Amino acid sequence: MSLSSREVPVAERLQDAYRSGTPPTFTLEQITELYALACSPPEQYGRPISQWTPQELADELIQQQIVDSISVRHVGRLLAEAELKPHQSRYWLNPLPTQRSKPKLKTSVRFINKRPHQPSRVS
């Protein structure tokens, strides 16, 4: 007697199907640590560099014992897969101090207030 799909426990239905090939080398937590590291300033970890490179990230992951070993090329692939570009993180994650202090709203309000008033036309 076989069980219908309604009688199969939920836990069994949610199990991943067997997949051939090598199992993943790194856990999701390790990859998340890489992404967090790539989005933080290297100075925070005592690195004398202004931006992360895949080599520096691989070295830091090993130094912090997040992974036993990882190739520079694999770090680059993981970053590309997530569309992370650590060399550009200063622009979107950490704006320069001068960019933080500029009031952008005043410029647009000034522009709006200087437009001449044009009455609406009714046909």
Side-chain angles (χ1 to χ4, degrees), residues 3-24:
L3 295 174
S4 69
S5 63
R6 291 183 183 186
E7 296 172 4
V8 176
V10 174
E12 278 185 43
R13 283 193 237 166
L14 295 177
Q15 291 295 321
D16 237 357
Y18 172 77
R19 295 182 182 158
S20 62
T22 309

Side-chain angles (χ1 to χ4, degrees), residues 78-102:
L78 290 171
L79 293 174
E81 186 179 291
E83 297 180 8
L84 275 178
K85 298 175 183 176
H87 61 281
Q88 292 180 350
S89 65
R90 182 168 304 279
Y91 302 112
W92 64 271
L93 183 61
N94 305 317
L96 298 172
T98 56
Q99 291 175 339
R100 284 188 212 132
S101 60
K102 287 183 181 178

Side-chain angles (χ1 to χ4, degrees), residues 47-101:
R47 296 276 174 170
I49 55 174
S50 60
Q51 57 193 4
W52 287 110
T53 63
Q55 178 67 55
E56 292 285 340
L57 285 167
D59 292 344
E60 190 63 30
L61 287 169
I62 294 168
Q63 183 180 348
Q64 289 188 23
Q65 300 177 345
I66 295 170
V67 297
D68 293 329
S69 67
I70 188 168
S71 72
V72 174
R73 190 168 175 188
H74 193 63
V75 168
R77 278 193 300 263
L78 290 171
L79 293 174
E81 186 179 291
E83 297 180 8
L84 275 178
K85 298 175 183 176
H87 61 281
Q88 292 180 350
S89 65
R90 182 168 304 279
Y91 302 112
W92 64 271
L93 183 61
N94 305 317
L96 298 172
T98 56
Q99 291 175 339
R100 284 188 212 132
S101 60

